[in-house]
Amino acid sequence: MTNSFEEQYVDGLYAPDPELERIVQRIKEHGMPAISVEDGYGRLLTMLGRMSRAERALELGALGGYSGLCLLRGLTGEKKLISLELKEDYARVAEQNLIEAGYGDHVEYRIGAALDSLADLVSEGQRFDLFFIDADKENYTRYLEYCIQLARSGAIIVVDNLFLRGRTLDQAKQGPSVQAIRKFNAMLAQDERLETTMLPAYDGLAIAIVR
């Protein structure tokens, strides 16, 4: 999807980020999909972590480590990221990228189905201050429920791809991922456990605070 003129204008105001550019290039070299979080939302992930003084973050969907680096840059104190990734080869690329960025000691990858890893985290009594969901769309509602269970009071949950490159808004589109995202968006807006907003730039981003 081509970014709007406004998005291109804002992105053009910022100097290139060598570490993030290297990750983007590494993703391309490995033939991985170019679906990392958009630059502006990457900056927002860092800011949200810093503003909330988050120490522990959970990421669903590592890809090549772009969002992981953005999250880690905003963490304080313990600076711990647990990243869930279905594909082992993706996780290894992300791990190497974060090692080169100086965060190798602060990230742990759990490989396999995210729902299984989330159940393990609940059983372990893990808790997190910041979450980023950017994985398979059909499980977004189930991922959200787990994140709420794993959240400390006041934790922030960020969710990417609310619009599915426009398909969410096109009533002619009725595939399983589209229907799942529509259900998720409606649920998120009405969930009394959360204080939420949705940002319409890029491919849509939700931000929720756990009450």
Side-chain angles (χ1 to χ4, degrees), residues 108-179:
E108 173 189 341
Y109 289 93
R110 299 203 180 190
I111 299 165
L115 289 172
D116 294 338
S117 296
L118 288 165
D120 290 341
L121 292 170
V122 170
S123 68
E124 294 165 13
Q126 303 260 12
R127 290 293 181 269
F128 300 90
D129 310 296
L130 179 61
F131 301 81
F132 182 52
I133 302 175
D134 188 12
D136 58 296
K137 312 312 173 190
E138 293 177 41
N139 280 312
Y140 263 26
T141 56
R142 299 172 74 185
Y143 292 155
L144 180 64
E145 290 296 332
Y146 269 113
C147 289
I148 292 172
Q149 288 186 62
L150 291 163
R152 291 171 174 163
S153 178
I156 297 172
I157 302 173
V158 184
V159 188
D160 200 12
N161 303 126
L162 305 184
F163 300 154
L164 294 177
R165 304 297 190 262
R167 286 181 290 148
T168 303
L169 312 179
D170 184 351
Q171 290 304 311
K173 304 295 185 182
Q174 295 294 330
S177 293
V178 173
Q179 293 188 52

Side-chain angles (χ1 to χ4, degrees), residues 5 16 20 38-39 65 73 84 97-98 112 120 132 142 144 151 155 170 173 183 189 191 196 206 208 210:
F5 175 78
L20 292 175
E38 295 284 355
D39 293 353
R73 284 175 167 178
L84 311 184
N97 284 333
L98 292 189
D120 290 341
F132 182 52
R142 299 172 74 185
L144 180 64
D170 184 351
K173 304 295 185 182
K183 178 181 177 182
D191 197 317
T196 71
V210 181

Side-chain angles (χ1 to χ4, degrees), residues 32-64:
M32 300 161 67
I35 54 173
S36 298
V37 65
E38 295 284 355
D39 293 353
Y41 286 158
R43 291 189 292 269
L44 181 58
L45 287 177
T46 301
M47 291 180 65
L48 288 171
R50 192 162 293 146
M51 288 188 295
S52 65
R53 294 189 168 276
E55 295 191 10
R56 292 173 52 83
L58 177 64
E59 170 185 56
L60 283 69
L63 193 62

